[in-house]
Amino acid sequence: MFKTAAKKKKKGRFSKLLSKVAEITLGGSAEDRKNKQDVILAQEAEEFSKGVSPYRLKTETADMFEKLGDYAKLEVEGSLSELKCLEQMNRVTAAKYSEMLSTAEGLKAFQEGLFKKYDELSPVFAEIDKLEKSVLEFERITELLDQYSKRLDEKSLVVMKQRHNALDKLQK
């Protein structure tokens, strides 16, 4: 029965507080709302402290500060762990960038070596190009000679057949 009356009293306080908050938020200037909030909070604190013993107030306040300290400690620990994680990520990233830099420097040196070798070999490449043109010209001439020799062979076969036919006629 005592708990029910206390709950009703708390519900009554809560509904009063809600109506006062609604009153504050619905009208007046910002300064008026601030003044009204201060007055309401002072009234609520006074009403709350009327039914609370000094010992209970002291223990609950100490409990509140202890929990607030624990909360602040956890927040700091969370921030600290995030910072440690970021520090580790920065180290890993720096190592990766260092590795990429050394790889890029190695590739640059390799590229410069290739360009130097190409410059050294470019006269040989020019000579190879000349030889290729000569070989192609030689192949073209060889093809022409092959075609010419085939025509001569065909003509010689025709002439030989004619002679053979003529000799056969003479022998008969």
Side-chain angles (χ1 to χ4, degrees):
M1 184 167 168
F2 176 71
K3 289 181 180 179
T4 310
K7 284 183 181 179
K8 286 183 182 179
K9 190 174 182 182
K10 284 184 181 179
K11 284 186 180 180
R13 284 184 187 170
F14 185 70
S15 61
K16 283 181 189 176
L17 180 63
L18 283 178
S19 64
K20 289 178 183 178
V21 169
E23 179 183 315
I24 290 170
T25 55
L26 290 178
S29 66
E31 189 174 320
D32 290 341
R33 286 194 302 263
K34 175 71 172 131
N35 290 337
K36 287 178 183 178
Q37 282 177 343
D38 290 342
V39 169
I40 290 171
L41 288 175
Q43 289 172 352
E44 286 296 316
E46 186 179 324
E47 284 180 28
F48 179 74
S49 65
K50 283 180 185 176
V52 177
S53 70
Y55 175 76
R56 182 172 171 212
L57 184 61
K58 183 179 178 182
T59 56
E60 286 187 9
T61 304
D63 187 44
M64 178 191 72
F65 279 118
E66 184 181 334
K67 289 180 180 178
L68 185 62
D70 290 345
Y71 173 76
K73 183 180 176 184
L74 289 174
E75 282 293 318
V76 169
E77 287 174 356
S79 297
L80 184 62
S81 67
E82 287 175 2
L83 289 174
K84 284 181 181 179
C85 180
L86 283 173
E87 181 182 19
Q88 182 66 23
M89 286 171 53
N90 283 339
R91 284 187 188 138
V92 170
T93 302
K96 194 69 169 172
Y97 282 145
S98 176
E99 181 183 320
M100 289 169 59
L101 176 66
S102 65
T103 302
E105 287 172 345
L107 287 173
K108 183 180 179 193
F110 180 72
Q111 181 187 27
E112 288 172 353
L114 284 178
F115 283 143
K116 184 178 177 184
K117 286 179 183 177
Y118 180 81
D119 289 341
E120 291 172 357
L121 291 174
S122 61
V124 174
F125 294 147
E127 189 68 30
I128 289 172
D129 288 341
K130 278 184 181 178
L131 284 173
E132 184 180 17
K133 287 179 184 176
S134 297
V135 167
L136 289 174
E137 182 65 22
F138 182 72
E139 285 177 353
R140 189 182 67 78
I141 291 171
T142 306
E143 182 66 29
L144 289 174
L145 285 173
D146 189 43
Q147 289 174 5
Y148 181 72
S149 67
K150 285 180 184 177
R151 284 194 311 251
L152 280 177
D153 190 40
E154 289 172 3
K155 284 184 182 180
S156 68
L157 285 175
V158 169
V159 168
M160 298 255 300
K161 274 188 181 179
Q162 286 175 351
R163 276 189 179 171
H164 188 273
N165 288 338
L167 282 175
D168 280 343
K169 283 185 184 180
L170 286 174
Q171 284 177 358
K172 284 187 188 180

